[in-house]
């Protein structure tokens, strides 16, 4: 079975400060890891993914995520937050050993960036 | 460049009514799926399909039916709506991947359903 935990329901950060949204995962094999963002009343937009290779993955809108196999984590980061980054963020995982496309999602973390 | 299109975006139903959420994609993706999103629970898989004529259950299939008569369309039917089905529903699609393969999944804009 695969699972994802996002331990923080909400993260508050001031504009211009760095932000981190945490994600830990559990899979039997090697993971594919994803971050999606959801703006109010909108669908999920793909931000970035880890498949293999460099542990630091760069994605859209200046976001990046660091894959840490020993800590089974895939935290989302951004050096300088913008008010427009305020949204709901989802981490998702899929076991590479399993064919198909079913993702398991975390519960989501609401990011609030204050001016 | 439509991607994944869901209709309707908002719907209010009375308990016991039936309805169909429509989903269409124009990317010739084999894989399509329906998720529901509830606060604090992330997205949970309802049903999925790996191609026309093939469907299967996900994590929370009860109360929902699907069919896949064409590659493009994957409607979700609520047979007798219940307040527990109040949720946001997302349709998704991607290329079908085998073991060791990976494809990004694309989501529709969502359908907000309230059952009263």
């Amino acid at each position: 079975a695969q699972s994802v935990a996002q331990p923080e329901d909400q993260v508050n950060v001031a504009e211009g400060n760095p932000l981190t949204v945490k994600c830990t995962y559990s899979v039997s094999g090697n993971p594919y890891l994803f971050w999606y963002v959801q703006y109010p009343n909108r669908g999920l937009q793909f931000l970035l993914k880890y498949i293999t290779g460099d542990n630091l993955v760069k994605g859209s809108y200046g976001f990046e995520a660091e894959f840490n196999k020993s800590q089974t984590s895939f935290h989302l980061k951004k050096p300088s937050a913008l008010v427009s980054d305020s949204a709901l963020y989802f981490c998702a995982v899929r076991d590479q050993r399993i064919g198909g496309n079913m993702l398991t999602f975390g519960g989501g973390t609401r990011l609030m960036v204050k001016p | 460049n439509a991607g994944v299109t869901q209709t309707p975006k908002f719907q209010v139903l009375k308990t016991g009514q039936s309805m169909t959420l429509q989903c269409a994609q124009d990317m010739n993706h084999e894989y399509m799926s329906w998720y529901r999103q509830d606060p604090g629970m992330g997205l949970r898989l309802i049903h999925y399909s790996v191609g026309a004529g093939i469907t299967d259950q996900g994590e929370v299939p009860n109360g929902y039916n699907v069919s896949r008569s064409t590659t493009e369309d994957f409607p979700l039917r609520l047979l007798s709506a219940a307040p527990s089905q109040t949720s946001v529903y997302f349709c998704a699609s991607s290329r079908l991947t085998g073991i060791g393969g990976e494809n990004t999944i694309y989501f529709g804009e969502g359908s907000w359903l309230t059952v009263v």
Side-chain angles (χ1 to χ4, degrees), chain A residues 32 36 38 42 94 96 100-101, chain B residues 37 94-95 100-101 105 109:
Chain A
Y32 292 133
Y36 286 85
Q38 183 184 22
R42 302 295 299 276
R94 179 166 78 80
Q96 289 189 21
N101 299 51
Chain B
Q37 180 189 9
S94 75
R95 286 284 187 199
I105 295 179
E109 292 279 292

Side-chain angles (χ1 to χ4, degrees), chain A residues 35-39 42-48 60-61 63 76 84-91 111:
Chain A
W35 276 102
Y36 286 85
V37 59
Q38 183 184 22
Y39 297 101
R42 302 295 299 276
L44 274 72
Q45 296 180 27
F46 169 75
L47 271 182
L48 51 79
S60 306
Y61 312 122
F63 283 93
L76 181 70
S84 57
D85 293 329
S86 298
L88 188 57
Y89 290 81
F90 290 97
C91 181
L111 175 65

